[in-house]
Amino acid sequence: MANRTPAQPRKPAHTGVVKAVLGPTNTGKTHLAIERLCAHSSGAIGFPLRLLAREVYDRVCAIKGTENVALITGEERIEPKGARWHLCTVEAMPSRPDLAFVALDEAQLSADPERGHIFTDRLLHTRGREETMLLGSSTLEPMVKALVPEAEIVTRPRFSTLSHVGAKKLSRIPPRSAIVAFSAEQVYVMAEMLRRFRGGAAVVMGALSPQTRNAQVAMYQAGEVDYLVATDAVGMGLNLDVHHVAFAGLSKYDGHRQRRLTTAEMAQIAGRAGRHQRDGTFGTLAGAGGHDPEFTDDEIYAIEEHRFAPLTRLYWREAEPRFDSITALIDDLESFPPLPQLAMPPQAIDLAVLKFLAEDPEVAASVRGKGLVQRFWNVCRLPDFRQQGSETHGRFVARLWQDLRAGYLGADFVAQAIAQLDNPSGDIDTLQARIAAIRSWSYIAQRPDWVLARDEMAARARAVEARLSDALHARLTERFVNRRTTVLMRKAGADAGLLPVRLSDEGALLVDDEPIGHIEGFRFMVDPLARAEDRRLLLAAAERHLPGLLAARAGALIQAATQPQGLEFEDTALVWESHVIARLERSRRLLDPRLRPDPALDRLSASDKACVITALEAWLAHHHARTLAPLIALDEASRDPASGPELRALLLHLVESGGVLAREDSGLERLDPTQRTRLKKLGVRIGALDLFVPAALRPAALQSWHRLARVYARSGHVPAPLPPEALQPVVHTSIAPAGYRRLGRESLRVDLAEKLLHAAHATRMSTKARRVFLDPAVARSMNLSTAAYAALLRAGGFRVHMGQALPDKAFGPPQPPLWDWRPQRPSPHADPVPERIPSAPQTGAFAALAALVAR
């Protein structure tokens, strides 16, 4: 390293103009590049992803015809004879001076540690004969000015605004949303949850075949599903009708370590929300994993305002090294950059493989002469699709080199290697390994100087990759529908991980038929009678397989949550199979409580726990929608500005009091006729003494409201007690239960109280006399005493006076003294229930109350 001198910069030979079109996402940069490409007689665009190249290839084919358009990627080549327009990945871009137009998409990736040196080389040296276009983020502007001073910089503003809306539960994610995850397993977990609770979701991943990916996108774009689950590949230019982007996490594994996304990466993904003139939103997914990810204030400001720190350096590596020897090749690849704006990248996998194999004397001895050194370097550049590291990947490259150093790979040999991978059966890990392997063979089959019958072998590899990708998609989906409850393995010596583990019908956990404990809910309880000498080994085996057993329990719980009677309440706790799994907690609104999972659920994996929580929240929402529909309607109307402040306040009080509100405390007199009409349409009965919702007085509704009211009540405030389940007309309690009106030592249901008062006023109106006789038989049939009935009438505007009953033919001869009532104007502040009410004699069916209508 000490003797190496910086490489000399190369100047690109071009005569056309160079434009740098910079700006945030949703500025139409890619669309502009496609228009310029089609406007020229020939050209090429380099994209960062194979999926994006394929998408634009389909669009250009629709304009120019498939016979004139080429698709060139590391794993797929469609090159019609005489094709003039080329859509490529950046690594596969042709270096041809005869192309009239050249564009580089996502040029800011020149600062990426893995692939940045490739983007930098294209940025510095690839030019079109008539026009060159560099597309990227505004952060690239200082580097363009320094490295490409002749470029005309065009800044494009975003067409729409992007706003942060905070964290949302998966059940509250709006339609036309994209959920972005950072692992294949997390992607499919989210897709399965959405399929179970929202009808389905499309899936977009870089590992899918183009056919599978296109089918998924078409399903989403056609509106067959309203949700899209994708990896961060969605941030690279895929133009979809997405209104909201929800991040399932804010960190990812970059090949070296788990790290938080950079602000620019966050913006790249969030920018998929809102297309053209439609504004978009972004946020995080509440409850995804062990803790809820959230953006910092600085990150939110940067994303919404599109303000990011400018790039200060780009990664560079010599693109035209010397091939005199392996040593000269390595020296050139590790040479210092020629300009201060450029920096040496971390050691890439191809250089690591080259140095690893150069240390093998047998391999090094087989590489002699410029031709073989260059061919050997091309073999070392085979991508590590299996992500196995430089040594393991290097051994595969060494075996490949043994066959390639003397010539071509035979068609039979390549066909046999591809056929061995053409097996869509197996578990998820097996399918993932096969897809990675077939991608390697797809890359190999694209090389015209490596494989005989290249076109046929490439077509076979693409077909196998498509079948394996579809099989993987089906297998991962099935995993979250039909999860196996246990894994039985044969015994193998003292390896505890291979001992058979099963759960008995009684819930006992058996390891090699030895009981070591039992599972209660999601808690593992150790059996104290387990053999002491084997306890350590057996517990280790149980710990190894316990996650699988708990996952099965989680699946059963999720299935139970799909049934109305699958779960039940005990007080404010949610119970499944007699075990508490969650508790209600107070939130800002009475009818929308939070659900706090039981700590025992922490034993589940992050994905299983998220599925369980989502299932519990969905069950709770359905339960409340079934039992509290009248109050939910009132609550929604109370938040509608069109209701007016007076009606909104009244409705809010009705909800908080369980659908019953004393008329004198309701503020009813402040409502205008329109508001009264709307109140009645909401199912509220306006009675003489109370406002009430008849549908809210049913047992299930009262129980649900009372539970939420106790959760919502602050310290010192206790809601009215719950009435008996039978809801009998009259109860004898010191405090009136919910839905009842207190009358002395008795309490009467408010709907029945209204019925009695309505009958009394109907009698008054029919006789039109100053004094009327009321038969208390109906009240007594409700088990209401005459004294309490009199108290009810007094509260309704009547006054009682002791006197002689008036003779009347309908009632026979005069009866003993009863209540004789005279006019009174009831005070709204007076207690209508006297402490002691004289008992009136009851003389059979003709006993009556003499009542005088209050004026």
Side-chain angles (χ1 to χ4, degrees):
M1 292 292 291
N3 296 327
R4 291 176 189 155
T5 59
Q8 298 300 314
R10 293 181 289 118
K11 293 184 178 181
H14 71 281
T15 58
V17 297
V18 180
K19 291 183 180 179
V21 183
L22 308 177
T25 56
N26 191 21
T27 59
K29 298 188 295 292
T30 303
H31 183 72
L32 175 63
I34 297 173
E35 287 183 344
R36 298 304 303 155
L37 172 72
C38 296
H40 286 277
S41 59
S42 62
I45 303 179
F47 296 98
L49 296 174
R50 179 179 65 151
L51 288 177
L52 186 52
R54 181 74 194 211
E55 178 190 12
V56 178
Y57 167 77
D58 293 335
R59 294 170 61 181
V60 177
C61 282
I63 300 172
K64 296 296 186 179
T66 55
E67 69 279 4
N68 297 316
V69 184
L71 173 67
I72 307 175
T73 70
E75 304 156 63
E76 186 176 13
R77 298 178 77 94
I78 303 175
E79 294 184 271
K81 186 176 180 180
R84 293 187 290 161
W85 294 277
H86 302 75
L87 292 311
C88 325
T89 53
V90 173
E91 289 85 349
M93 283 185 72
S95 180
R96 291 170 46 184
D98 61 318
L99 294 176
F101 174 82
V102 169
L104 175 64
D105 193 26
E106 305 292 353
Q108 76 277 0
L109 291 179
S110 298
D112 180 71
E114 288 288 330
R115 303 167 64 203
H117 62 278
I118 301 172
F119 282 80
T120 301
D121 179 71
R122 305 297 186 264
L123 183 147
L124 293 176
H125 304 125
T126 305
R127 297 289 184 267
R129 187 181 70 249
E130 299 173 3
E131 183 180 1
T132 299
M133 186 173 289
L134 306 175
L135 313 175
S137 170
S138 300
T139 58
L140 187 63
E141 183 174 349
M143 293 293 95
V144 172
K145 289 181 177 179
L147 299 173
V148 193
E150 71 275 14
E152 174 191 353
I153 296 179
V154 179
T155 301
R156 294 174 68 93
R158 181 179 168 91
F159 292 153
S160 58
T161 61
L162 194 59
S163 305
H164 177 253
V165 294
K168 290 179 179 289
K169 298 177 181 178
L170 189 63
S171 58
R172 302 294 178 87
I173 295 294
R176 313 311 293 171
S177 293
I179 294 90
V180 180
F182 298 94
S183 68
E185 183 173 4
Q186 193 177 25
V187 164
Y188 280 94
V189 167
M190 296 298 168
E192 175 59 29
M193 292 167 66
L194 286 170
R195 184 174 67 177
R196 184 169 297 167
F197 301 112
R198 291 289 188 171
V203 175
V204 173
M205 295 174 58
L208 296 179
S209 66
Q211 297 92 323
T212 304
R213 175 258 181 192
N214 289 341
Q216 292 286 311
V217 169
M219 181 173 61
Y220 175 80
Q221 292 292 79
E224 297 178 28
V225 293
D226 280 331
Y227 299 90
L228 176 75
V229 185
T231 60
D232 53 348
V234 76
M236 289 294 180
L238 292 178
N239 294 316
L240 301 169
D241 182 24
V242 174
H243 301 174
H244 175 75
V245 171
F247 287 75
L250 293 177
S251 64
K252 70 173 185 178
Y253 183 72
D254 61 4
H256 301 284
R257 60 187 177 88
Q258 188 77 16
R259 64 170 178 83
R260 188 176 179 86
L261 299 175
T262 66
T263 309
E265 290 171 333
M266 295 174 183
Q268 188 77 23
I269 298 170
R272 296 301 102 194
R275 307 307 300 167
H276 303 294
Q277 301 298 325
R278 183 188 293 113
D279 295 339
T281 58
F282 70 97
T284 54
L285 194 62
H291 63 280
D292 297 342
E294 190 51 86
F295 294 95
T296 65
D297 293 340
D298 291 340
E299 290 168 345
I300 295 172
Y301 174 79
I303 296 171
E304 291 182 339
E305 300 297 328
H306 317 297
R307 297 181 182 274
F308 308 102
L311 298 177
T312 58
R313 64 176 183 175
L314 306 181
Y315 287 114
W316 175 92
R317 191 175 75 179
E318 177 58 62
E320 296 183 358
R322 294 170 297 153
F323 297 108
D324 298 332
S325 65
I326 293 181
T327 302
L329 174 61
I330 295 175
D331 287 344
D332 284 358
L333 293 175
E334 293 185 335
S335 60
F336 293 111
L339 298 172
Q341 295 84 4
L342 305 176
M344 291 180 64
Q347 182 171 269
I349 185 67
D350 54 1
L351 179 56
V353 169
L354 173 63
K355 296 172 68 174
F356 171 73
L357 295 181
E359 297 176 355
D360 186 333
E362 183 178 351
V363 174
S366 66
V367 184
R368 292 289 186 267
K370 288 186 177 181
L372 283 179
V373 172
Q374 185 172 3
R375 187 175 179 83
F376 180 62
W377 170 233
N378 288 333
V379 175
C380 291
R381 295 176 67 186
L382 173 69
D384 182 16
F385 294 108
R386 290 172 293 183
Q387 300 293 317
Q388 293 181 331
S390 59
E391 293 190 9
T392 303
H393 183 58
R395 286 190 286 270
F396 176 76
V397 170
R399 291 194 299 271
L400 182 63
W401 171 247
Q402 290 176 359
D403 297 320
L404 284 175
R405 66 182 180 181
Y408 292 86
L409 296 176
D412 292 341
F413 172 76
V414 176
Q416 182 180 5
I418 293 174
Q420 289 176 348
L421 299 172
D422 190 7
N423 181 6
S425 63
D427 58 17
I428 292 174
D429 293 338
T430 302
L431 286 173
Q432 287 177 329
R434 287 182 190 145
I435 289 178
I438 198 62
R439 292 183 70 184
S440 298
W441 283 105
S442 295
Y443 183 94
I444 293 169
Q446 300 300 329
R447 301 284 304 192
D449 57 336
W450 289 7
V451 178
L452 295 173
R454 186 197 73 175
D455 293 339
E456 179 186 353
M457 295 300 105
R460 289 190 182 188
R462 287 197 303 270
V464 171
E465 181 184 354
R467 284 192 290 272
L468 292 177
S469 295
D470 292 340
L472 175 61
H473 175 76
R475 201 78 75 251
L476 284 171
T477 303
E478 292 170 1
R479 172 180 175 182
F480 296 98
V481 177
N482 299 317
R483 185 186 294 272
R484 295 179 64 188
T485 58
T486 59
V487 178
L488 297 178
M489 304 176 67
R490 63 181 179 87
K491 291 175 58 177
D495 187 352
L498 298 179
L499 291 175
V501 176
R502 64 185 180 91
L503 193 64
S504 71
D505 295 337
E506 295 77 19
L509 190 64
L510 306 178
V511 177
D512 196 20
D513 293 329
E514 182 73 22
I516 64 170
H518 60 280
I519 294 179
E520 293 183 357
F522 291 91
R523 289 184 170 87
F524 174 61
M525 313 300 291
V526 179
D527 186 356
L529 300 180
R531 292 188 315 215
E533 60 272 18
D534 294 335
R535 185 181 181 88
R536 183 173 181 179
L537 176 64
L538 297 177
L539 287 179
E543 190 68 24
R544 174 81 173 269
H545 295 288
L546 192 59
L549 299 176
L550 294 180
R553 296 280 292 170
L557 173 56
I558 292 173
Q559 180 61 32
T562 62
Q563 306 297 324
Q565 306 303 323
L567 306 177
E568 59 184 10
F569 277 105
E570 286 186 5
D571 196 23
T572 60
L574 198 57
V575 175
W576 174 61
E577 294 184 352
S578 303
H579 301 294
V580 175
I581 54 176
R583 297 183 183 275
L584 299 180
E585 284 189 340
R586 190 181 193 277
S587 66
R588 297 182 61 182
R589 296 191 294 116
L590 183 144
L591 299 183
D592 189 22
R594 285 193 295 267
L595 203 61
R596 176 169 55 87
D598 189 78
L601 295 183
D602 293 339
R603 296 296 303 270
L604 294 173
S605 67
S607 58
D608 285 341
K609 182 179 178 181
C611 290
V612 167
I613 292 174
T614 302
L616 298 182
E617 290 172 347
W619 184 91
L620 183 64
H622 294 159
H623 176 77
H624 288 165
R626 188 174 66 255
T627 59
L628 295 174
L631 295 185
I632 292 175
L634 298 185
D635 183 63
E636 293 175 350
S638 71
R639 291 181 278 117
D640 185 0
S643 300
E646 298 85 0
L647 179 57
R648 292 173 66 185
L650 189 151
L651 293 175
L652 185 61
H653 291 158
L654 264 175
V655 171
E656 293 180 351
S657 59
V660 178
L661 190 62
R663 180 167 178 163
E664 61 187 19
D665 300 328
S666 66
L668 180 68
E669 68 279 357
R670 293 194 292 271
L671 302 186
D672 58 34
T674 302
Q675 292 173 318
R676 283 178 176 249
T677 301
R678 184 168 187 178
L679 184 66
K680 292 178 181 179
K681 288 182 178 179
L682 290 171
V684 179
R685 183 80 58 83
I686 302 177
L689 300 179
D690 299 285
L691 275 64
F692 61 94
V693 182
L697 298 179
R698 297 168 182 166
L702 285 172
Q703 289 177 3
S704 294
W705 169 83
H706 191 263
R707 182 184 304 111
L708 297 181
R710 284 186 289 116
V711 172
Y712 187 76
R714 297 185 182 275
S715 178
H717 297 272
V718 179
L722 194 65
E725 291 186 8
L727 283 183
Q728 55 260 42
V730 177
V731 296
H732 296 77
T733 57
S734 58
I735 301 177
Y740 283 71
R741 168 168 281 273
R742 182 169 175 265
L743 302 170
R745 296 183 178 88
E746 304 171 32
S747 295
L748 178 66
R749 268 175 32 199
V750 294
D751 56 337
L752 298 180
E754 175 61 23
K755 179 179 179 181
L756 292 176
L757 286 177
H758 186 271
H761 283 291
T763 302
R764 173 181 66 82
M765 295 299 296
S766 63
T767 59
K768 296 183 179 179
R770 293 177 57 84
R771 179 171 294 179
V772 296
F773 294 91
L774 301 176
D775 189 352
V778 176
R780 289 202 304 273
S781 69
M782 300 178 184
N783 201 28
L784 185 70
S785 67
T786 305
Y789 181 40
L792 174 65
L793 294 175
R794 178 179 286 107
F798 298 88
R799 189 176 65 177
V800 177
H801 174 72
M802 285 296 296
Q804 178 67 33
L806 299 179
D808 191 280
K809 294 180 179 180
F811 290 94
Q815 299 297 324
L818 294 177
W819 295 98
D820 184 21
W821 293 358
R822 298 194 179 280
Q824 73 167 351
R825 186 176 302 277
S827 169
H829 304 291
D831 182 4
V833 183
E835 289 298 325
R836 297 185 61 188
I837 303 177
S839 298
Q842 300 180 8
T843 57
F846 296 102
L849 288 176
L852 182 66
V853 178
R855 295 177 181 176

